[in-house]
Amino acid sequence: EAEVAQSPRYKITEKSQAVAFWCDPISGHATLYWYRQILGQGPELLVQFQDESVVDDSQLPKDRFSAERLKGVDSTLKIQPAELGDSAMYLCASSLGDRLAKNIQYFGAGTRLSVL
Amino acid sequence: GEDVEQSLFLSVREGDSSVINCTYTDSSSTYLYWYKQEPGAGLQLLTYIFSNMDMKQDQRLTVLLNKKDKHLSLRIADTQTGDSAIYFCAMGGAGNMLTFGGGTRLMVKP
């Protein structure tokens, strides 16, 4: 069964360092999402791509976060510099992106970030 | 924006039914979803319901949608210890984005 792949699974870093997370969506999925899930809360959307274009990044803290999906397939989310409040689970999801369909989003296992 | 609320915690005995509730503010969602998250893992889609339906049944799962009261519920029949997890409701909004509730932690006692 096709899955959304994310790496690394865990990342520990010191504040002010740079970190990067990688996501490979399910083959053929045009839409890719990055979510942040703080412990004890639901996921919140950071950025949404349609192919290689950003559709929504209104909740992305652009002073320190960046995301790209250069070839419209896999994606990288970067934080520089990391702050203590960035400690969270970062989830990637993908979907076919068909507006007429139920647009089910499939999630990866996530990257748990701890900033010390 | 959309506000989605869930109770934090539910405890049931194995074999009983579980009912997890969700309320929302924006009635424009076309699809409403239930996801399950086990410790340290991503989210797994359990089921979904189209907004023009009142009920959907899928094996042990029953979803009820009350559009008037903006209330969504998930009933799990014959709850098993393997059902212990966090359950999230999510609303499908404009641009295919999802808005999640805060999650309900279900604990199943043997």
Side-chain angles (χ1 to χ4, degrees), chain B:
Chain B
E2 173 80 84
D3 191 21
V4 183
E5 299 286 339
Q6 296 181 241
S7 52
L8 287 177
F9 188 75
L10 176 65
S11 178
V12 300
R13 293 214 171 270
E14 191 173 20
D16 288 349
S17 291
S18 307
V19 180
I20 301 170
N21 296 300
C22 174
T23 58
Y24 56 94
T25 56
D26 185 350
S27 58
S28 65
S29 297
T30 304
Y31 286 95
L32 300 91
Y33 306 84
W34 283 102
Y35 281 86
K36 175 184 180 182
Q37 187 176 35
E38 298 185 8
L43 277 70
Q44 172 195 355
L45 179 70
L46 286 177
T47 187
Y48 60 90
I49 188 168
F50 189 49
S51 59
N52 69 351
M53 298 171 63
D54 297 324
M55 186 183 82
K56 179 180 180 181
Q57 188 152 0
D58 185 359
Q59 299 182 340
R60 291 191 298 124
L61 305 178
T62 303
V63 179
L64 295 178
L65 176 59
N66 182 328
K67 291 182 286 293
K68 175 176 173 289
D69 294 338
K70 297 182 182 177
H71 183 267
L72 179 73
S73 68
L74 174 69
R75 178 177 180 270
I76 305 173
D78 187 25
T79 311
Q80 302 298 306
T81 54
D83 294 325
S84 292
I86 301 176
Y87 291 79
F88 293 94
C89 61
M91 308 295 132
N96 295 326
M97 66 172 290
L98 292 180
T99 301
F100 287 86
T104 299
R105 181 179 294 275
L106 174 64
M107 177 180 289
V108 183
K109 299 178 181 177

Side-chain angles (χ1 to χ4, degrees), chain A residues 9 37 48 102-103 105 108, chain B residues 33 35 37 40 42 48 95-96:
Chain A
R9 286 296 313 276
Q37 185 180 22
Q48 177 182 343
K102 48 191 174 290
N103 194 50
Q105 294 187 23
Chain B
Y33 306 84
Y35 281 86
Q37 187 176 35
Y48 60 90
N96 295 326

Side-chain angles (χ1 to χ4, degrees), chain A residues 43-90:
Chain A
E44 293 182 326
L45 182 70
L46 290 174
V47 60
Q48 177 182 343
F49 289 91
Q50 182 69 24
D51 299 311
E52 68 276 7
S53 301
V54 172
V55 173
D56 184 350
D57 63 356
S58 57
Q59 300 304 310
L60 189 71
K62 298 181 188 63
D63 57 335
R64 298 185 299 108
F65 285 65
S66 63
E68 60 183 17
R69 194 185 183 198
L70 293 176
K71 296 183 179 179
V73 181
D74 58 337
S75 175
T76 302
L77 178 69
K78 296 179 182 177
I79 308 174
Q80 182 174 18
E83 295 181 353
L84 295 178
D86 296 331
S87 294
M89 175 82 92
Y90 289 84

